[in-house]
Amino acid sequence: MASARASSSLLLFTSSVLLFATLCAATVPYAPGLLESFYNDSCPQAASIVRSYVLKYLTTDSSFAGAFNRLQFHDCWVQGCDGSVLLNSTSTNSAEREAHVNFGLRGLTEVDEIKAALEYACPGVVSCADLLILAARDATFLAGGPWWPVGLGRRDSRVSNDLLADGNLPFPVFPFDILEANFARKDFNAREMVVLSGAHTIGKSHCNGILPHIYNFTGGNNETDTDPTLNPGFAAYLKRNCPFGNRDNSIPIDSTSGKFDNAYYKNVQNGKGVFITDSTLITTTLGSSIVSSFAEGDSTFFQEFADAMVKMGNLGVLTGSQGEIRQKCQFVN
């Protein structure tokens, strides 16, 4: 269980943040079988347990806000929001977490700790899939972003495969048209794509996804071949922190990486997008217009982000008797 100190800190922190938070109503309907009240009787303390642990992790390292957001996206985009990204590989199967696109995935150990606390309080009740949805929402909120209600009642998949992840998730080198097509396959339009890209306002990234932006940009195996649209000073900063061939270093992916705000869009406008998928957002008239709107302080960004996260949380959910409630998120029962 979360410690009394963590619970007390949660109450104090949440109370103070609520005075200034953007509380976004759910304007997107939940998928059939999902209810905000799903655990009201079976595990009424579920949400507060998740939030207390997320607070603990963010207090230690604010970049976990981005890690929890990434986990929801990387789970839901592959066969739906079913907790499959959390499963370990077996002797006969390479799981999603081993996929190329999931290099450097963080927060897995922390999710296991949260799940253990939920199992202690309410054995066999709260799914790993719902845990990820709650953690992403709470991490966003505790980083200064919007709070939104979430529908719950997802069940966990018994299937996880690295090829499914590499075949569904967008790689950080995608240009606008391919990125747009990737989102369209999940029924997300270009505006929603740009909105969800705003999650890059929090967290950090390993250099693995950054290297193609600053070296060998056009594919000629050239160490000096850098995206010409990058701000020269920013490109130099990236190269200092991500030397040629170094996949494992990590850097903040936003100038205010511990705070959920619109600085990401200002950075992209100014040639300071960390990934190719960031810089590509202003290579079309449509994308550039949306980025400019949010960079200038469009007041709808928080609401649109909340709506897109709810919509994402509806993807491919297992409910009722489908799937299972895993006792440990790393293993099928």
Side-chain angles (χ1 to χ4, degrees):
M1 292 287 288
S3 68
R5 178 178 295 178
S7 298
S8 176
S9 298
L10 170 70
L11 290 172
L12 290 171
F13 185 85
T14 304
S15 296
S16 62
V17 173
L18 276 170
L19 295 174
F20 307 101
T22 299
L23 307 180
C24 296
T27 63
V28 176
Y30 302 132
L34 302 185
L35 298 168
E36 291 175 41
S37 59
F38 189 84
Y39 296 117
N40 280 9
D41 295 327
S42 59
C43 192
Q45 66 271 55
S48 61
I49 290 172
V50 174
R51 194 173 302 119
S52 67
Y53 275 89
V54 172
L55 173 61
K56 181 181 77 167
Y57 302 134
L58 265 64
T59 300
T60 303
D61 181 352
S62 63
S63 71
F64 271 114
F68 287 123
N69 260 269
R70 188 186 184 203
L71 278 174
Q72 174 175 333
F73 180 62
H74 282 236
D75 184 41
C76 293
W77 224 246
V78 184
Q79 68 183 15
C81 307
D82 59 3
S84 56
V85 72
L86 303 171
L87 283 170
N88 280 347
S89 294
T90 67
S91 59
T92 58
N93 179 68
S94 183
E96 289 175 31
R97 61 202 296 179
E98 309 300 334
H100 296 294
V101 75
N102 280 328
F103 181 89
L105 201 65
R106 300 174 64 230
L108 299 169
T109 299
E110 289 70 23
V111 166
D112 289 337
E113 185 178 12
I114 300 172
K115 177 60 173 173
L118 290 168
E119 285 296 304
Y120 182 89
C122 313
V125 173
V126 182
S127 68
C128 299
D130 277 345
L131 189 169
L132 291 182
I133 299 296
L134 288 166
R137 187 273 307 275
D138 293 341
T140 301
F141 169 66
L142 293 170
W147 185 97
W148 59 91
V150 293
L152 301 167
R154 297 167 191 79
R155 291 170 65 85
D156 299 321
S157 172
R158 300 183 182 94
V159 178
S160 181
N161 183 272
D162 61 342
L163 297 179
L164 286 175
D166 281 335
N168 281 274
L169 284 161
F171 280 80
V173 298
F174 281 1
F176 191 95
D177 58 340
I178 297 178
L179 189 64
E180 184 179 23
N182 178 278
F183 274 73
R185 285 196 292 273
K186 307 296 181 183
D187 196 30
F188 283 75
N189 60 35
R191 185 175 183 90
E192 291 168 322
M193 177 184 80
V194 177
V195 166
L196 285 173
S197 296
H200 288 175
T201 189
I202 47 178
K204 62 183 180 181
S205 171
H206 286 87
C207 290
N208 182 63
I210 301 170
L211 294 177
H213 206 188
I214 53 177
Y215 308 108
N216 193 28
F217 178 67
T218 57
N221 196 29
N222 185 345
E223 193 172 331
T224 64
D225 184 13
T226 302
D227 181 354
T229 68
L230 275 176
N231 176 288
F234 186 67
Y237 159 78
L238 292 178
K239 290 186 175 186
R240 283 196 303 273
N241 289 279
C242 294
F244 186 71
N246 186 317
R247 305 170 66 209
D248 297 313
N249 282 3
S250 60
I251 64 168
I253 56 176
D254 182 81
S255 56
T256 58
S257 61
K259 181 181 179 183
F260 192 98
D261 56 21
N262 72 334
Y264 164 77
Y265 296 105
K266 297 177 183 178
N267 292 336
V268 169
Q269 267 194 322
N270 293 323
K272 298 180 179 181
V274 169
F275 305 116
I276 292 173
T277 48
D278 297 324
S279 295
T280 198
L281 296 182
I282 56 172
T283 59
T284 72
T285 301
L286 174 60
S288 183
S289 174
I290 300 168
V291 168
S292 295
S293 174
F294 291 138
E296 292 166 7
D298 187 329
S299 61
T300 68
F301 169 49
F302 275 24
Q303 180 67 62
E304 290 187 59
F305 185 85
D307 287 344
M309 291 293 282
V310 172
K311 181 176 176 179
M312 188 200 307
N314 289 335
L315 291 173
V317 296
L318 303 175
T319 59
S321 61
Q322 299 171 315
E324 63 182 13
I325 304 297
R326 283 190 230 130
Q327 296 173 1
K328 295 184 178 180
C329 292
Q330 298 179 56
F331 309 101
V332 297
N333 291 340

